[in-house]
Amino acid sequence: MTLVTTAKYVVGAEVLAKSLRAFRASRPLLALVDSSLPPHVTVRLRQAGWGIKYIAHVENKNTRKLQDRPWFNTTFSKLHVFGLTEYEKIVYVDADVLLLANIDELFEKLPDVGFNVSRPFAASPEMFPPDTFNSGVLVIRPQERVYRWLLEQSLHVSSYDGSDQGFLNTVLSGWWQLDIGHRLDFQYNVHQTVAMYYPPLWENLLRSSRVSVLHFAGDDSMKPWSLSGVIPASLARYVHLWQEIARAPLDADVAPLYLAANAHLPLKARAFDSLSSAGEQEIDHVLDIFQASLKDSVESTSAKH
Ligand code: UDP
Ligand code: MN
């Protein structure tokens, strides 16, 4: 599921739909659309593969903080995702991302065990500060009571950064202390700033197949439809890929574009699982040797006495 409240983000939602198809996403795609969007825009979204659900605009009361960040004005409409109780579970993804892998496994998050019904979401960490969550990728189990409460809170609780993220982290505080089922790995929400400002980490994340969702978070100059000029080479490949996918026809299978750019992580989950289980076997092996040598040394010590 994604959100499109202004025409500017339609191209982002188109790229997301094409990427989800390229990675053979198994669930239906649904775009929450502000009713003020012109009809030709929603026609394009439908052609891209999105089912359309019209939502009412949720007002963002943080007008003073919004003066220098007007694009946050509409993101409170994201709160509607918490109220769509016709769905058992929803994977919500912002319209400013590039997928590098299939993300179906996110539907396995928020299991019954350890589920906190008043915090019915899972999210990846924000980088600053890391004990808050980024609201660009969310797994949600809709709850009517929480939804109503969020809408009510939005009327008077202020957001520390003016956005839905600042608001959600305020009213749904304590996320990082919740059960593991409420936490998503960083790989599901890696910001482009990692590539821009910390290339060694970015390269390492790519090498170990730990970038499933590349999120172009930030103001308009940081979005893949605006990024131009000098972009670090490590990121440029992905910005170009995003732009190529954007140019492809709405119903295109863009898997070949990923293959040509060598930017997909098809073996991600399996490769990573087998790496970590190999790691465990290795640790067991080392422990066995350690214990055997310990036993030897104890035996030889007692033999001396
Ligand atoms: N959005 C939109 N139009 C806007 C601003 C936001 O449709 O003018 C939607 C879109 O899905 C976007 C999400 O709200 O990805 C959150 O906004 P944004 O991604 O710009 O916030 P950031 O991730 O940069 O904090
Ligand atoms: Mn975003």
Side-chain angles (χ1 to χ4, degrees):
M1 182 172 297
T2 195
L3 170 71
V4 184
T5 58
T6 57
K8 197 161 208 172
Y9 282 69
V10 170
V11 61
E14 289 172 12
V15 169
L16 179 56
K18 290 177 211 172
S19 305
L20 284 163
R21 270 204 311 278
F23 289 109
R24 312 288 181 252
S26 64
R27 306 301 206 285
L29 312 187
L30 189 67
L32 302 186
V33 172
D34 200 294
S35 38
S36 63
L37 275 186
H40 72 267
V41 167
T42 45
V43 168
R44 280 191 70 85
L45 288 173
R46 275 188 216 283
Q47 285 170 349
W50 291 105
I52 301 291
K53 187 167 183 79
Y54 288 98
I55 46 159
H57 175 73
V58 179
E59 204 179 333
N60 184 344
K61 300 276 186 191
N62 300 273
T63 40
R64 197 173 46 79
K65 289 183 194 139
L66 287 172
Q67 276 163 7
D68 57 343
R69 289 185 255 185
W71 69 94
F72 282 152
N73 197 15
T74 58
T75 64
F76 269 51
S77 296
K78 202 185 281 186
L79 300 185
H80 286 301
V81 185
F82 287 85
L84 300 175
T85 49
E86 61 270 44
Y87 300 99
E88 193 187 324
K89 217 179 262 183
I90 293 170
V91 172
Y92 167 84
V93 183
D94 264 5
D96 56 348
V97 305
L98 177 67
L99 295 190
L100 298 190
N102 177 296
I103 55 169
D104 281 348
E105 71 260 25
L106 289 180
F107 283 99
E108 286 157 32
K109 284 285 166 176
L110 295 179
D112 287 341
V113 180
F115 180 62
N116 182 324
V117 75
S118 64
R119 300 282 186 277
F121 70 100
S124 293
E126 181 48 84
M127 288 190 290
F128 304 109
D131 58 356
T132 62
F133 59 91
N134 185 282
S135 62
V137 178
L138 297 169
V139 182
I140 293 176
R141 274 170 68 166
Q143 308 283 333
E144 184 69 24
R145 202 176 53 81
V146 174
Y147 170 60
R148 300 244 156 261
W149 182 77
L150 287 174
L151 289 184
E152 196 260 316
Q153 296 290 299
S154 74
L155 300 176
H156 49 85
V157 173
S158 78
S159 162
Y160 55 74
D161 61 1
S163 77
D164 63 287
Q165 180 169 315
F167 168 73
L168 286 170
N169 270 285
T170 303
V171 293
L172 300 174
S173 59
W175 157 81
W176 72 287
Q177 288 165 318
L178 295 173
D179 198 78
I180 185 76
H182 290 266
R183 274 180 268 148
L184 307 182
D185 278 27
F186 187 54
Q187 77 177 74
Y188 298 109
N189 196 336
V190 179
H191 302 189
Q192 86 286 35
T193 44
V194 172
M196 288 168 124
Y197 305 128
Y198 197 10
L201 172 63
W202 170 246
E203 294 297 339
N204 187 34
L205 289 173
L206 286 172
R207 261 200 308 277
S208 53
S209 296
R210 280 183 294 154
V211 186
S212 292
V213 182
L214 171 57
H215 184 185
F216 293 88
D219 65 30
D220 198 61
S221 70
M222 305 288 271
K223 303 299 188 201
W225 48 85
S226 305
L227 269 171
S228 59
V230 185
I231 307 167
S234 53
L235 182 62
R237 200 161 119 223
Y238 298 92
V239 175
H240 293 150
L241 175 60
W242 185 96
Q243 291 172 350
E244 274 185 54
I245 296 174
R247 279 193 297 270
L250 287 177
D251 59 352
D253 179 2
V254 296
L257 295 179
Y258 277 96
L259 289 169
N262 195 21
H264 56 299
L265 309 175
L267 299 172
K268 181 196 54 122
R270 267 160 295 151
F272 196 56
D273 283 353
S274 64
L275 262 185
S276 51
S277 60
E280 274 163 31
Q281 279 162 16
E282 209 164 289
I283 290 170
D284 282 348
H285 182 59
V286 170
L287 277 179
D288 285 348
I289 296 173
F290 177 70
Q291 271 163 359
S293 65
L294 193 66
K295 193 162 155 261
D296 285 352
S297 80
V298 170
E299 276 166 7
S300 63
T301 319
S302 29
K304 275 189 208 141
H305 293 116

